[in-house]
Amino acid sequence: HVQLVESGGGSVQAGGSLRLSCTSSGDAFNNNCIGWFRQAPGKEREGVAAILLGSSSIAYDDSVKGRFTISQDNAKSTLYLQMNSLKPEDTAMYYCAASPIGYAATRPSEYSYWGQGTQVTVS
């Protein structure tokens, strides 16, 4: 059974930073790819960043390049998303997800396992 739990969300002023964490139990990190997604009210879920575990293969959405950094700590079975220079348009529920796919995928349809999300609000 794969379980993912996000934490680290909150409210921050524009220009501020947050670090999201995604911890896993079960076999989440036995999947090949872990990603971060977000969904704002009334909008579709979109990929933010993804990493192919055990490799340097990372993908970012253009809207977050240079501001967000995805990283992994395999010893802790934890994935991080460091978010800097936050903008109001970054406001959304953020989710981590796991996929058996063999590349850093950013489409929600490519993911099998999802966490419950953590809210990020930028004002």
Side-chain angles (χ1 to χ4, degrees):
H1 176 68
V2 174
Q3 187 172 14
L4 300 164
V5 180
E6 303 93 337
S7 62
S11 296
V12 65
Q13 291 188 335
S17 298
L18 284 172
R19 188 177 80 158
L20 305 184
S21 298
C22 172
T23 56
S24 68
S25 61
D27 298 328
F29 273 50
N30 288 339
N31 284 268
N32 290 332
C33 179
I34 307 288
W36 284 101
F37 295 80
R38 65 186 180 188
Q39 188 167 19
K43 295 187 177 181
E44 293 186 353
R45 191 168 296 188
E46 62 179 4
V48 174
I51 185 168
L52 187 64
L53 296 178
S55 80
S56 58
S57 180
I58 292 174
Y60 292 101
D61 184 77
D62 286 345
S63 65
V64 305
K65 282 181 181 177
R67 300 189 298 122
F68 291 11
T69 303
I70 189 171
S71 62
Q72 62 185 83
D73 184 337
N74 285 338
K76 298 180 179 179
S77 294
T78 301
L79 185 75
Y80 302 101
L81 185 69
Q82 178 67 43
M83 306 187 296
N84 299 327
S85 302
L86 282 162
K87 305 175 181 180
E89 51 263 44
D90 295 318
T91 295
M93 184 72 78
Y94 282 71
Y95 301 87
C96 69
S99 170
I101 208 163
Y103 57 90
T106 56
R107 291 181 295 183
S109 61
E110 294 175 299
Y111 284 76
S112 305
Y113 308 101
W114 292 85
Q116 294 300 307
T118 185
Q119 178 68 37
V120 171
T121 303
V122 185
S123 59

